[in-house]
Amino acid sequence: MASTEEKVSIENNVVIRKEEIEKNLLYVRQCIEAITQRQKEVRLVAVSKYKPASDIRFAYEFGQRHFGENYVQELIEKSKMLPLDIQWHFIGTLQSNKCKMLAEIPNLWAVETIDSKKKAELMNKACVSRDDKLKIFLQVNTSGEESKSGIQPNECLGLLNYIQDNCNKLELRGLMTIGAPNRNHFNEGQPNPDFIAKEFRKERGIELELSMGMSDDFEEALKLGATNVRIGSTIFGARPVKQESRQDKV
């Protein structure tokens, strides 16, 4: 049984943690507002992987509703513990055998990592019992790295058209990119996926969002047209040291 001093210490730590998350969220929101000048709507996705449900609740109490997770099981567990009006984004590598599990999360707002016809088909089939269409983003490999998931830019239009014409339980929402490590991934000749969105709009009359920008580059991403930014460590602090790919580092 905890002593009075221990209880006071725990309570103080809770207050400190809550204030830290609120301060960080405010900072990110102010950065977004300063860059966009309120000329466009930007969605902030707070990436909460490896973080406890209590951290998510602190951010929720400060008005945050969109949260991102990289691992299906972690997302399932957290979704059961937290308010139903949270809008979850799955932003990790999508395994074909996990589509059904994801689709069963009632407040799953979007899957941002569709990168093949097969995964689109499986996700569409898994969503057959959902009342609403599931929003999806097509993950594009704009950095040209073989280790990174995502469809090649020159293959995007074909897959976008296929999904639009054949996946009636999916709602095409936009394109998602992940930059290369150890460099500003919006430089060095890397294509901005905005040109794909423009081509699709010209061809089908559909506006696509751009999900790009993480903790280390979201400000630059906003300047290049991002409408959905995925920010983790700037809000919640550093995560446990693990072997993570760039897809995990947000």
Side-chain angles (χ1 to χ4, degrees), residues 30-212:
Q30 289 174 336
C31 286
I32 292 173
E33 186 175 311
I35 292 170
T36 63
Q37 297 293 306
R38 296 184 177 180
Q39 295 300 306
K40 66 176 181 180
E41 186 175 341
V42 173
R43 183 182 306 105
L44 169 59
V45 180
V47 179
S48 48
K49 72 170 181 201
Y50 300 147
K51 295 299 179 180
S54 56
D55 279 4
I56 300 173
R57 192 173 291 278
F58 290 148
Y60 174 89
E61 291 171 355
F62 199 59
Q64 182 65 28
R65 290 296 180 271
H66 288 268
F67 292 88
E69 290 286 341
N70 288 65
Y71 303 106
V72 174
Q73 194 58 46
E74 187 175 356
L75 173 52
I76 290 172
E77 291 171 3
K78 287 177 176 176
S79 69
K80 293 176 180 178
M81 299 166 62
L82 291 158
L84 274 173
D85 62 333
I86 283 179
Q87 297 172 301
W88 295 104
H89 295 233
F90 181 73
I91 60 173
T93 300
L94 179 62
Q95 297 175 290
S96 299
N97 62 346
K98 298 294 178 66
C99 290
K100 189 174 186 295
M101 296 169 66
L102 272 175
E104 290 173 350
I105 300 172
N107 50 335
L108 178 67
W109 194 83
V111 172
E112 296 201 22
T113 49
I114 297 292
D115 61 4
S116 69
K117 182 186 293 187
K118 177 183 177 181
K119 290 180 184 178
E121 290 173 341
L122 289 172
M123 201 72 241
N124 186 66
K125 183 178 179 181
C127 291
V128 67
S129 61
R130 287 179 67 99
D131 294 331
D132 56 337
K133 290 186 177 183
L134 176 65
K135 301 171 182 65
I136 63 162
F137 289 72
L138 191 63
Q139 184 175 347
V140 188
N141 186 343
T142 55
S143 68
E145 296 169 279
E146 293 183 5
S147 61
K148 189 173 280 92
S149 301
I151 190 170
Q152 294 302 309
N154 63 353
E155 299 174 341
C156 276
L157 281 177
L159 184 51
L160 287 168
N161 280 311
Y162 178 83
I163 293 171
Q164 185 66 21
D165 293 334
N166 297 279
C167 299
N168 64 343
K169 295 299 291 185
L170 304 181
E171 177 189 336
L172 269 175
R173 194 73 181 200
L175 306 172
M176 184 271 243
T177 68
I178 298 171
N182 304 320
R183 68 170 183 160
N184 180 341
H185 71 279
F186 298 111
N187 292 330
E188 301 185 22
Q190 182 172 319
N192 183 343
D194 184 49
F195 81 92
I196 302 170
K198 288 178 179 177
E199 282 295 311
F200 191 63
R201 181 177 63 216
K202 182 179 178 181
E203 188 172 315
R204 302 296 296 261
I206 297 172
E207 285 290 339
L208 292 178
E209 293 189 30
L210 295 179
S211 175
M212 59 183 186

